[in-house]
Amino acid sequence: MLRLDATTDRFLQGTLDDIRASFVTISHASQLIGTDLGDLLTRESAQALQLIESFELAAHNNFGQLMLPLEPVALSAIVQDSLHALWPMAKKSGVELRLSLAGKYTPVMAHQTALLQAMNSIGRALIEYATLSDTREPLVFGVHKTPGGIAAGVFTTQEISEGLSAMSLRSGKALIGKAKAPIASFSSSASSGLLLADSLLVSMHTHVRIGRHGKGWGLATTLKPSRQLAFI
Amino acid sequence: MTREILLIESDAKLAAVHCEFLVREGYGVRVVSDAQKAIHAVDDLRPDVVILEVQLPEHNGVEFLYELRSYADWHDLPVIIHSIIPAERFKIAESDWKNYGVYAYLYKPTSKLTDLTKAIQEAMES
């Protein structure tokens, strides 16, 4: 795999810091404006900042000097943190968020920051998706056991089969870098967020996939339990 | 009596935004753009709180912090780091930041302006 040398890695870091500073300026200035337009700018800049964070982690992990170290992480806590982080966005969008954590789960092997960013990207995409429907079904941030491990994701009972499927995810991955919005049912920033989430999850030996939770469908990922902690 | 804040920020646009915000919140604000000027500004202004961006030209904010704490007069002056650089990148333990009188470390990309006022109020009350 191609790896960047230290100089290029620092250049990438410096450029990302500069881009980040510009979006922070927009975000903080828009908070001062305090109108609907200000709110819109705040949300958009927050989304851009999250994309930058995800890109930075994925780029460093895939091409740079950093390998994301995996450690035991409580998946339920990550899902709750993600719900909490996205609550203001969901409220502004008129989408109700619910938590569904039935039972206790063994910690999974993951990189905490990267996993939270991946969950946030999934959540943002689904909140945006929910606003396309007049019915605005609640979104469920859920965790459950599967034969392959422990799954976490964001789910809805809204009809998603046409717009979002395993096939649309696969073709989205194939179109990355070639199309502005590689997953047709999402905006370009939400699509990029999902594909970056997938790239981050690859470092944890998993992917974004279509998943089921109770009666709902949605986007999820499955992680392996920590072997060490499974025996405690 | 107006509470005084020393804002150490090298990005002029961000400094303008944060200065405007803090003045609206009722604070007196002085902005300096580098660490060397900041030590003189502390002596001159005698601020209630310092807000510090650690990514500064030439001497960085961590060096400023070490120098500030070397003066007995400024041992207890609360410092809030408000930075574009995440704390993890410094490889400095949270307890060490606290030992150097850093009241809070706010990462600009994920913090809101209201987080800043909350940290300032708590630092002033502490």
Side-chain angles (χ1 to χ4, degrees), chain B residues 4-5 8 14 18-19 35-36 46-48 61 65 72 74 82 84 90 99 108 110 112 117 120 123:
Chain B
E4 297 293 339
I5 291 175
I8 306 171
L14 260 181
H18 293 159
C19 186
Q36 280 187 318
R46 308 190 83 76
D48 296 283
L65 200 56
W74 305 118
H82 193 213
I84 203 78
F90 288 99
N99 288 341
K108 281 175 184 163
T110 51
K112 293 181 184 160
T117 38
I120 292 168

Side-chain angles (χ1 to χ4, degrees), chain A residues 13 17 20 28 31-32 53, chain B residues 18 24 89 107 111 113:
Chain A
Q13 185 70 71
D17 285 344
R20 200 182 265 127
H28 288 189
Q31 287 171 47
L32 275 180
E53 298 284 326
Chain B
H18 293 159
R24 282 193 201 179
R89 217 188 283 175
Y107 180 45
S111 65
L113 290 176

